[in-house]
Amino acid sequence: MPSSEFDQTLVLIKPDALKNSLTGYVLSLLSEFHTGLRFAGAKVVHVTRMLAEEHYAEHRGKVFYPALIDYIMGMFHYPNEPHKRRVIAIVYQGFNAVEEVRSVAGPTDPHVAREQKPGCIRSLGTLVPLRNAQGEEIGRRMDNLIHASATPQEAEREIKLWFKPNEIPPHMRIYAARICEDHFYYKDDRVFAEYIPGSVCLLAPGDVAWETDIQALELILRGQPSAVPLRTVVAKYLTNEICNEC
Ligand code: GTP
Ligand code: MG
């Protein structure tokens, strides 16, 4: 697909960047002057386990996956300060948004980043040994400061995972959204059309939601298979709300 000035990508400023007060520096490197990209959405998010697992779903089952989830949730950088566990989520918009941000971010592994692209954001990252109960090294965690969508398809999935349509100004939105006409409630990995005790109201008539989210909820409510998993839809509605699990 040809690039357009409406292209979007998702950036997460990860807990290691926040802890080391690198946010301002990262934002400067990603500024419109350097990348030609504009903010289309931005927020501070306390990352629930569900959101972390959905975000990194492609890495489920890999050796580094459990540490990756704890890392993005802020468990490593703020083990005893849950109120500091957060990331900054940003939607950037402009020509070649995905490639522009990936280029400034640099290679995934900070050691490789330092070698191949000194000065890129991830060249300021670090590798942290992971040890088992016996103290033996079983792998390494890559603390690489930011997440950046790898493809336009990944950007769409991730932006819809982290942002509601009304968190992006209407003229900047590029994915279909519409006004919901039904109630959808969630409890214990199930969707309900009516309130049941302990359930959370995800959407109500009048709410603006991603078209794909509404379609998924309608299918799941009817017991039909949905290409978008329930937790992918639900995760963003359960963040920055009540925090039961962390
Ligand atoms: P993100 O922007 O964070 O998605 O990084 P990426 O797209 O450059 O890499 P990828 O999606 O493959 O990996 C996601 C995250 O998992 C990385 O940012 C790393 O923190 C971690 N990771 C990826 N590959 C490895 C690996 O081989 N070993 C370890 N320890 N961590 C890895
Ligand atoms: Mg990735």
Side-chain angles (χ1 to χ4, degrees):
M1 222 170 56
S3 75
S4 115
E5 66 169 309
F6 295 104
D7 289 355
Q8 291 184 355
T9 192
L10 180 82
V11 165
L12 303 176
I13 301 185
K14 296 177 175 178
D16 49 332
L18 291 166
K19 181 155 186 180
N20 288 294
S21 289
L22 289 169
T23 309
Y25 181 66
V26 169
L27 292 179
S28 292
L29 292 184
L30 293 173
S31 68
E32 188 163 8
F33 178 75
H34 293 294
T35 63
L37 306 176
R38 300 170 293 278
F39 274 24
K43 60 181 176 177
V44 180
V45 181
H46 178 86
V47 183
T48 60
R49 190 162 293 278
M50 187 191 288
L51 181 60
E53 290 179 354
E54 290 307 310
H55 179 74
Y56 281 129
E58 66 170 307
H59 298 299
R60 226 168 253 162
K62 295 183 184 168
V63 184
F64 59 83
Y65 177 75
L68 180 58
I69 298 302
D70 282 350
Y71 163 43
I72 198 71
M73 289 177 70
M75 300 298 202
F76 287 113
H77 293 89
Y78 299 106
N80 304 313
E81 297 170 297
H83 58 288
K84 293 186 182 174
R85 290 179 201 147
R86 76 264 186 238
V87 303
I88 298 178
I90 305 170
V91 179
Y92 279 97
Q93 186 164 54
F95 284 104
N96 294 312
V98 167
E99 294 83 352
E100 287 289 343
V101 174
R102 292 287 287 193
S103 167
V104 179
T108 307
D109 180 329
H111 285 186
V112 176
R114 277 197 277 284
E115 211 173 283
Q116 294 183 358
K117 208 165 188 181
C120 71
I121 294 172
R122 285 166 160 182
S123 70
L124 299 178
T126 187
L127 292 184
V128 181
L130 295 169
R131 299 185 190 282
N132 63 15
Q134 289 72 46
E136 297 153 352
E137 188 171 324
I138 52 165
R140 286 174 164 194
R141 199 178 76 229
M142 287 182 186
D143 289 6
N144 55 9
L145 306 168
I146 75 164
H147 162 79
S149 308
T151 64
Q153 293 72 27
E154 195 175 289
E156 176 172 355
R157 191 190 89 85
E158 293 174 350
I159 289 166
K160 290 177 174 177
L161 176 67
W162 286 80
F163 284 82
K164 300 172 191 173
N166 61 8
E167 292 168 331
I168 296 173
H171 294 292
M172 301 188 100
R173 273 181 227 153
I174 59 168
Y175 310 122
R178 71 170 154 97
I179 295 173
C180 181
E181 295 177 349
D182 301 294
H183 279 104
F184 293 101
Y185 294 90
Y186 171 82
K187 187 185 177 193
D188 297 337
D189 276 330
R190 291 185 60 194
V191 183
F192 304 88
E194 285 165 11
Y195 176 77
I196 60 158
S199 65
V200 175
C201 182
L202 302 176
L203 288 171
D207 290 345
V208 179
W210 300 120
E211 175 77 49
T212 45
D213 280 1
I214 297 178
Q215 284 169 358
L217 290 172
E218 287 171 345
L219 287 169
I220 294 163
L221 189 63
R222 292 201 295 264
Q224 293 172 354
S226 161
V228 182
L230 178 58
R231 287 173 156 238
T232 305
V233 176
V234 166
K236 70 179 158 293
Y237 292 106
L238 304 182
T239 57
N240 289 355
E241 299 283 339
I242 321 162
C243 189
N244 295 320
E245 57 168 323
C246 42

